[in-house]
Amino acid sequence: MRAAFCRGPETVVVEEVERPTPGPDDVVVAVRSCGICGTDLHWYHDTMMIPVVCPGHEIAGEVAEVGSAVRRLREGDRVALEGISSCGVCRSCAAGNYHLCSSLGVVGITIPGGFAERIRLPARHCFQIPSGIDFPTAALSEPIGVAVHGTRISGLSIGQRVVVLGAGTIGLAAVIAARSGGAGEILVTARRPQQRAAALALGADRVFDDADESGLREAVQESPIDLVLETVGGAADTLETAVHVCRPGGTICVLGVYTKPIMFPSLFVVAKELRLQGSLVYNRAGSRADFEIVQDLLSRDGKRIGETLVTHRFPLADIAAAFRTADDKGTGSIKVTVTADALR
């Protein structure tokens, strides 16, 4: 089968590899869509570790093969995949915190990912997608799951005022999560016109240019900000902005992946008694997994979400062009997806 690999900075190629076979608890999924993530662009530019395996972790497809012990899924089921692989038996996994598994595998970084015709993953990390939802929209389950998880563990309450820093895919997913979680007002910072339009379409009340920090600070004087969702990461100074706009006693949730050391405004964190919450992917809190909540969101509003976020679609053979498009926001791109155009 065909799978993509990064063979150097800004060099993504398609190669022939052996087709995976399922273990007893696994399924093999025929990939129908895999989105290019902001994290993918980090390794694309060599600002974080280049994966030695096939990358890609925003995945949706059809179950092609089922392991002997799998009972919940059948061939032909349409599924969205979590971008991790846990052991399923350790203390963290038993508690539903499988994202903290000591044997955690990261899809597309440490285990083969979704820029391929097929992928193998434990069946417990696969979730059936609602009828009527196309695969590129279903693949958005992964970034929306990240935002749902961050919003849940941050303790968002109905009516609270939220700032989302950044309007990439995770930032826009955070708008979806905050709105569905009962936020009273959502303010967003965005850099590109398409991001501004998407944020408003998905439920943001106001959008500020990311360079207009004075405008944002003026707006937050009107009423306290209870929760800041930071989604930029990289080498940005967004944590400092978050500390300044958050009310005393408020919460900052860090969703962005920082690739360089950043200044930490500890004096203001202490003086304002801020809660700084890190957030890693998704888990099962209580009786419901974050991905199950995402499927509910997609069943209600998936068409609008997909039409707003998915801007470009490329076949696997053109993955190099897909990455160039995702990297160049001047193309109007938000979410670029890759599809294995012909299974062999």
Side-chain angles (χ1 to χ4, degrees):
M1 72 168 192
R2 295 172 303 154
F5 294 88
C6 181
R7 296 308 186 198
E10 301 183 23
T11 305
V12 183
V13 298
V14 177
E15 300 175 0
E16 288 286 338
V17 299
E18 185 176 348
R19 180 179 293 187
T21 57
D25 298 313
D26 300 333
V27 292
V28 171
V29 175
V31 178
R32 300 305 189 196
S33 186
C34 185
I36 297 177
C37 174
T39 304
D40 294 324
L41 294 178
H42 284 317
W43 57 251
Y44 180 70
H45 287 297
D46 201 20
T47 58
M48 65 178 290
M49 179 185 68
I50 293 177
V52 297
V53 298
C54 171
H57 58 272
E58 298 180 359
I59 308 164
E62 294 176 308
V63 175
E65 297 180 66
V66 177
S68 59
V70 175
R71 299 290 180 266
R72 187 174 58 87
L73 295 173
R74 298 180 298 176
E75 291 183 15
D77 282 348
R78 304 166 70 248
V79 292
L81 282 60
E82 291 181 319
I84 54 177
S85 177
S86 62
C87 75
V89 296
C90 71
R91 181 177 180 178
S92 294
C93 288
N97 294 320
Y98 48 80
H99 65 316
L100 301 179
C101 174
S102 59
S103 301
L104 190 72
V106 181
V107 175
I109 298 293
T110 64
I111 60 176
F115 293 132
E117 291 178 329
R118 297 194 178 198
I119 180 175
R120 176 180 60 217
L121 201 66
R124 60 183 170 272
H125 293 296
C126 301
F127 294 79
Q128 294 196 38
I129 59 181
S131 61
I133 299 300
D134 64 14
F135 288 115
T137 301
L140 294 169
S141 296
E142 201 281 336
I144 298 174
V146 169
V148 165
H149 181 71
T151 304
R152 290 178 82 185
I153 65 176
S154 297
L156 175 65
S157 299
I158 293 175
Q160 286 190 329
R161 204 160 182 243
V162 176
V163 164
V164 178
L165 296 177
T169 304
I170 297 296
L172 295 171
V175 174
I176 297 169
R179 181 57 71 203
S180 66
E185 185 178 17
I186 302 173
L187 312 181
V188 180
T189 63
R191 178 171 298 179
R192 300 287 181 174
Q194 68 269 26
Q195 296 171 336
R196 175 185 294 270
L200 293 170
L202 293 170
D205 295 286
R206 284 190 278 177
V207 183
F208 300 84
D209 189 286
D210 68 348
D212 183 20
E213 187 168 332
S214 61
L216 176 62
R217 291 199 185 195
E218 181 179 344
V220 304
Q221 296 304 313
E222 301 169 10
S223 182
I225 296 299
D226 301 288
L227 172 62
V228 180
L229 298 168
E230 193 290 319
T231 74
V232 180
D237 59 358
T238 42
L239 187 57
E240 184 174 358
T241 300
V243 168
H244 283 294
V245 302
C246 194
R247 68 166 172 83
T251 298
I252 298 168
C253 182
V254 181
L255 297 170
V257 177
Y258 287 98
T259 57
K260 294 182 179 180
I262 58 172
M263 293 295 295
F264 181 69
S266 56
L267 175 61
F268 291 98
V269 172
V270 171
K272 297 173 78 171
E273 287 199 346
L274 298 176
R275 176 187 174 211
L276 189 63
Q277 174 71 62
S279 182
L280 176 68
V281 295
Y282 18 73
N283 70 351
R284 177 179 293 275
S287 61
R288 304 197 73 200
D290 295 315
F291 256 55
E292 290 173 339
I293 294 174
V294 173
Q295 302 319 308
D296 285 348
L297 293 176
L298 292 180
S299 69
R300 295 194 299 269
D301 205 18
K303 186 174 187 296
R304 180 171 68 100
I305 291 171
E307 290 176 348
T308 302
L309 293 181
V310 180
T311 55
H312 297 76
R313 308 181 187 203
F314 287 85
L316 181 60
D318 293 337
I319 192 169
F323 265 84
R324 289 193 297 270
T325 301
D327 188 45
D328 180 6
K329 301 308 178 187
T331 62
S333 64
I334 296 177
K335 178 54 63 183
V336 177
T337 65
V338 176
T339 300
D341 48 323
L343 293 174
R344 292 186 289 169

